[in-house]
Amino acid sequence: MADPAPLWTALVLPCALALVAWATASVDARSAAPGREVLRLLVQQRRLTRAADLPLVRLGTTLLPVAAVLAAVVLPFGFRPVSDLPDGIVWFNAMEALAWAAVWLTGWGPNSTLSLIGGYRFLAQGLAYELPHMLAITTAALGAESLRVGAVVDAQSGLWFAVWMPVAFGIYLLSALAMAFWGPFGQPVGTDVAGGAAAELSGVDRLVFLGGRWLLFVVAAAFAVPLFLGGGQGPLLPGWAWTVLKTAAVLGGLLWVRRRVPTVRTERYVELAWVVLTPLAVAQALVVAVVVLGR
C-alpha cells in the first residue's frame, strides 16, 4: 500500500464526495432534478414546532454529513487514502455510530411525536443491521489479519474477498443500505402517516440532512470496494480508475435495488436481520477463521 495522500486531499474529499452524491442523485429516477430541489430548500422558510430543542435539531442535521465525510478519510482512492489509520475499519464503524446519533437527535429535537417515531424506527433498524454489518466488516479484516484498510486491499492481490466471502459481501451491501436508511430500508424517513425522522425539517435544515443521507449512502457503497472488491487492484488501468469503476458498479447495483424492491416494514427487516443474516454472518466468519488458521 502506498503512503497516505497529501494533506490537501483532506480539503478536496468533501467536495469530491458531494459531486459523487450529486451525480448519484441525478441518475436516480426519483431525484431527477436535484438542483431544483436544492434551490427550493435554500429559499424555503424554516418551520419550528412548539418547544423544539433547536440546538439538538441543528446538531443532528449537521452531524450526519460530518460523520459521512469522516468515515471516508480511510477510503483509498486507488491505493492512497487520506489517512491509512492502523485501525481504519474500527474508525469507519465508529463513524456509523455518529450517524445513529445524528438521525436520533433529528427525530428527538423537534419535540414532535411523528419525527420521534421515525427516530425510534431508525434505532430499531440500526440495532438489527449493526451486528451482521459489523460481522461482515470484521470478516474482511479477519481475512487480511489486519484492521488497516490498506492491508485489506493488499490481501486481495490474488483473489478478491467477494469471491471467497460472498455471504459477507452480500450482507455488507444489504446492511449498507440500511445504514444509510435508503431504498427498501427508508422507512425511518418514509412518507407514510408518521413522516419519518425528518418530518419536521424544512429549509436549510432539511437540505443538510438529506445531503448527509446521500453522502452516507455513497460512502457506504464505496467502502465495499476496498473491503471486498480489491480496491484499486486490476489489470491495464491505473488504481484510481479501477476504484472509480468498481464504486460506480456498486452504486449502480444499489440504485437498481431501490427501483425494483419496495420499502420493507421495519419489523420484517428486524426479523430477517436477527434470524437469518446474523447466523449467516457468524458462519461466514467461522469459515474465514478456519482458512486463516490453516495458512
Side-chain angles (χ1 to χ4, degrees):
M1 191 74 175
D3 294 332
L7 290 179
W8 58 264
T9 56
L11 301 176
V12 175
L13 179 64
C15 299
L17 289 175
L19 286 175
V20 176
W22 184 286
T24 307
S26 300
V27 172
D28 183 29
R30 301 184 186 182
S31 304
R36 187 184 309 165
E37 182 67 11
V38 167
L39 292 175
R40 184 185 71 83
L41 292 175
L42 282 175
V43 300
Q44 185 182 58
Q45 185 177 3
R46 284 171 167 167
R47 300 189 310 267
L48 292 177
T49 54
R50 182 173 297 178
D53 193 329
L54 197 56
L56 286 186
V57 175
R58 297 285 189 270
L59 180 61
T61 54
T62 56
L63 190 58
L64 189 59
V66 169
V69 173
L70 290 177
V73 300
V74 295
L75 280 173
F77 185 66
F79 298 99
R80 304 187 72 182
V82 172
S83 179
D84 195 13
L85 299 174
D87 51 358
I89 288 179
V90 177
W91 170 268
F92 180 81
N93 210 29
M95 294 306 102
E96 294 175 354
L98 281 183
W100 277 33
V103 179
W104 170 249
L105 290 176
T106 301
W108 177 275
N111 193 31
S112 167
T113 301
L114 299 182
S115 65
L116 187 59
I117 290 174
Y120 274 118
R121 282 176 170 175
F122 182 73
L123 285 183
Q125 179 169 292
L127 288 173
Y129 82 72
E130 177 60 25
L131 186 55
H133 184 74
M134 181 178 62
L135 286 170
I137 294 175
T138 304
T139 301
L142 180 62
E145 301 181 60
S146 175
L147 292 172
R148 187 170 62 86
V149 179
V152 175
V153 174
D154 292 340
Q156 299 176 73
S157 58
L159 183 67
W160 292 355
F161 284 173
V163 176
W164 68 287
M165 303 178 190
V167 175
F169 179 50
I171 289 175
Y172 175 82
L173 292 180
L174 194 64
S175 58
L177 285 175
M179 179 186 77
F181 45 101
W182 203 86
F185 309 108
Q187 197 173 27
V189 290
T191 56
D192 60 1
V193 68
E200 303 296 344
L201 296 181
S202 60
V204 176
D205 292 332
R206 188 172 187 86
L207 175 61
V208 173
F209 182 83
L210 295 180
R213 183 190 184 197
W214 277 101
L215 287 174
L216 191 63
F217 169 64
V218 168
V219 172
F223 203 65
V225 174
L227 278 184
F228 296 101
L229 298 177
Q233 308 277 1
L236 302 178
L237 299 177
W240 64 266
W242 278 113
T243 299
V244 171
L245 289 174
K246 293 174 185 178
T247 301
V250 173
L251 285 172
L254 296 181
L255 285 175
W256 180 87
V257 169
R258 172 172 179 168
R259 295 174 182 176
R260 295 295 186 271
V261 182
T263 301
V264 180
R265 288 170 52 183
T266 303
E267 66 272 17
R268 292 184 176 179
Y269 176 69
V270 167
E271 182 179 3
L272 173 68
W274 287 114
V275 177
V276 179
L277 297 185
T278 300
L280 284 176
V282 172
Q284 177 72 96
L286 289 175
V287 169
V288 173
V290 171
V291 172
V292 171
L293 288 175
R295 287 175 179 172

